[in-house]
Amino acid sequence: MTNPLLRLAEVATDWRHRPVEEPVRWATRRAILDWFATTLPGCVRAPAAIMAPAMMETEGSGRAWCYVDEKSCSPRRAAFLNAVASHTVEFDDIFKDGGYHPGSPTISAALAFAQHSDSTLDDLHRAIIAGYEVGCRISLAIQPSHYAFWHTTSTVGTIGAAVAGSILMGGDSRVIGHAIALATSFAGGHQQNLQGEGMAKALHPGHAADAGLMAALAAAAGVTGSLESLHADKGFAAATSETSGDWARALDGLGTWTPITRMTVKAHGCCGHIFPALDGIGSMRKQHGFNPADIERIEVSGYRATQSMCDRPEPVSAQDARFSLQYCLAVYLFLGGVRLSAFEPAIMGRADIRDFMQRIRISEDSVLSANYPVKRQARLTVALRGGHTLRHLQETRRGDPEDPLSDADLIAKFHELSSGTSPGEIAKALSRRFFLVRSCRVG
């Protein structure tokens, strides 16, 4: 069998020099703008706002920019805090086939080191593309079983960040291979910390971005790891999934497509496993014109992760509510969308929303579970007062590659989420610099 680590290291190295076609370049610009959209609101919220003053001693004399406390600092500090912020409000991008949010750890690490090293925008783009390539393909090899106990964005994100950092450090395929190997040992983040009201989930990509840069720095300095770390019997895949990895699936299409062109841009501010239900109820309401007062009960049948992760009838915090299908579906019906304001105390305490949540039931559909993660679907049954029952199968999610957000939608998302967290002129400058311009230096 081809050693997948060596093959992925070669592919990552190729991105340092190969032509970047315009669709790939544009997808990368979209990913960066989407990263800013989800990072800026997280900068003024816990846990990033709590962690920034607690990490004063790690500021250093670096030239990376921390958007949380708006100061220059070491690249590892900036990568950590920015990645925490980018995962806080649950609007970050998704590689759906691998159940993975690559942007939070990968772009955070790449942008911080690019600023510190005064890299060009082209350098930054290539590092992000390579980090997405390796991370997303590894997620294909280990999913869906990896997700039973591990948070992919934290584990695989460490490897994606390491690759992006290594590209910016000028590493060849040997150095990048060792960075991947080291990152597999630094990877962590278990599912229990995705449950309940704790703040650990947002720290996961922060650790991934920081540890990924540490792996890249170590490999650049000559530290080595086992080059069989991904696929060996005691390697990363075997330790964190049911097999030693489906590497044929992971490596399929190398050189013909790259994952950054197949990203989901989130259209709702909550867990992506809830999206099919939100899109489905939106389609049903548009067709039939019902309101919350018309509904006697709603039954949602989803794939396994929808039921296991998002059946939370009594969420106790904003973080918990972002993973509650009952809460998000009720908010969608009452407010017309699941945006940042949905998780403010005034909305979370509304008696009408809390009462309506009791009318929503969630179950697993074995057929939809078999289709996951390639297809993210939901079956909805809406029983109306008076005895009429409506049924709907939602086959796609808005924002997925099959139903993508337009550039205009993405720019509108950026301006909505950055409003109130960054002065208007700064937001416009970020939009021009990283999305609209053709070339510049990052710093």
Side-chain angles (χ1 to χ4, degrees):
M1 178 179 105
T2 299
N3 183 323
L5 185 151
L6 296 179
R7 186 73 186 96
L8 289 169
E10 291 170 357
V11 170
T13 307
D14 286 345
W15 281 114
R16 289 181 57 203
H17 306 293
R18 64 182 287 183
V20 180
E21 297 177 353
E22 186 55 29
V24 177
R25 182 82 69 184
W26 197 251
T28 308
R29 290 179 178 146
R30 281 173 57 96
I32 294 171
L33 188 69
D34 196 40
W35 180 88
F36 275 111
T38 192
T39 298
L40 293 176
C43 289
V44 296
R45 289 169 168 80
I50 297 173
M51 289 297 297
M55 296 179 67
M56 296 293 287
E57 73 280 1
T58 65
E59 283 185 12
S61 57
R63 295 183 297 275
W65 188 254
C66 178
Y67 294 92
V68 178
D69 52 7
E70 298 185 280
K71 62 175 64 175
S72 296
C73 60
S74 69
R76 285 182 57 190
R77 181 180 188 270
F80 176 88
L81 289 171
N82 292 339
V84 171
S86 74
H87 198 57
T88 295
V89 298
E90 293 293 337
F91 264 110
D92 44 337
D93 64 5
I94 308 170
F95 180 61
K96 72 176 180 64
D97 290 1
Y100 170 44
H101 300 272
S104 291
T106 308
I107 294 178
S108 298
L111 183 58
F113 197 84
Q115 291 168 335
H116 178 71
S117 58
D118 196 27
S119 300
T120 67
L121 189 59
D122 182 62
D123 293 335
L124 175 65
H125 284 174
R126 291 174 180 277
I128 291 170
I129 295 165
Y132 272 58
E133 180 89 57
V134 174
C136 291
R137 289 188 177 278
I138 291 173
S139 74
L140 289 175
I142 60 177
Q143 288 286 52
S145 62
H146 181 83
Y147 199 65
F149 293 99
W150 299 99
H151 185 196
T152 322
T153 304
S154 186
T155 53
V156 176
T158 308
I159 304 170
V163 170
S166 285
I167 293 290
L168 289 165
M169 294 174 199
D172 58 19
S173 61
R174 180 189 64 83
V175 171
I176 292 173
H178 286 297
I180 293 171
L182 295 169
T184 64
S185 280
F186 297 165
H190 56 75
Q191 280 284 335
Q192 189 58 43
N193 270 326
L194 272 66
Q195 313 297 321
E197 57 182 313
M199 298 182 188
K201 180 177 184 289
L203 299 184
H204 285 180
H207 168 74
D210 177 23
L213 282 183
M214 181 167 64
L217 288 163
V223 179
T224 60
S226 169
L227 295 179
E228 297 194 343
S229 290
L230 284 179
H231 71 289
D233 290 345
K234 299 183 186 302
F236 176 74
T240 63
S241 65
E242 292 178 351
T243 69
S244 292
D246 186 349
W247 297 106
R249 181 188 181 209
L251 301 179
D252 183 51
L254 275 174
T256 61
W257 67 275
T258 190
I260 204 164
T261 62
R262 299 187 179 183
M263 298 308 300
T264 294
V265 175
K266 277 192 166 187
H268 311 289
C270 58
C271 176
H273 299 314
I274 300 173
F275 286 16
L278 298 181
D279 293 335
I281 203 71
S283 177
M284 295 175 78
R285 184 167 63 174
K286 183 177 180 180
Q287 181 178 357
H288 299 286
F290 52 75
N291 291 309
D294 303 320
I295 298 172
E296 183 174 301
R297 72 178 186 281
I298 300 176
E299 297 174 5
V300 178
S301 295
Y303 48 89
R304 184 174 300 110
T306 304
Q307 195 278 327
S308 63
M309 291 284 295
C310 303
D311 186 2
R312 305 190 188 195
E314 296 291 343
V316 296
S317 67
Q319 176 66 13
D320 202 16
R322 290 185 178 98
F323 281 78
S324 168
L325 190 150
Q326 290 94 333
Y327 179 77
C328 292
L329 193 61
V331 164
Y332 187 92
L333 285 167
F334 277 88
L335 303 184
V338 182
R339 317 310 294 172
L340 294 178
S341 61
F343 306 99
E344 297 298 328
I347 302 298
M348 287 192 60
R350 279 181 49 168
D352 54 353
I353 290 175
R354 291 285 179 168
D355 289 344
F356 188 86
M357 290 167 60
Q358 307 309 309
R359 306 181 203 175
I360 302 171
R361 297 289 181 269
I362 304 169
S363 62
E364 179 187 349
D365 184 300
S366 60
V367 174
L368 302 191
S369 290
N371 293 338
Y372 172 83
V374 175
K375 294 183 178 181
R376 309 294 184 97
Q377 302 170 310
R379 299 184 191 276
L380 288 88
T381 300
V382 177
L384 300 177
R385 299 189 188 281
H388 192 44
T389 299
L390 308 173
R391 292 180 174 84
H392 176 77
L393 170 62
Q394 183 64 29
E395 300 192 62
T396 62
R397 301 184 303 185
R398 183 167 178 259
D400 276 346
E402 298 83 2
D403 186 13
L405 295 191
S406 67
D407 290 345
D409 290 334
L410 175 56
I411 292 171
K413 172 184 172 180
F414 168 76
H415 285 295
E416 174 200 347
L417 297 186
S418 64
S419 175
T421 63
S422 180
E425 289 306 311
I426 294 179
K428 291 177 183 176
L430 289 171
S431 179
R432 288 194 302 268
R433 189 170 196 185
F434 291 102
F435 188 58
L436 302 175
V437 299
R438 294 290 167 183
S439 64
C440 73
R441 302 199 79 79
V442 177

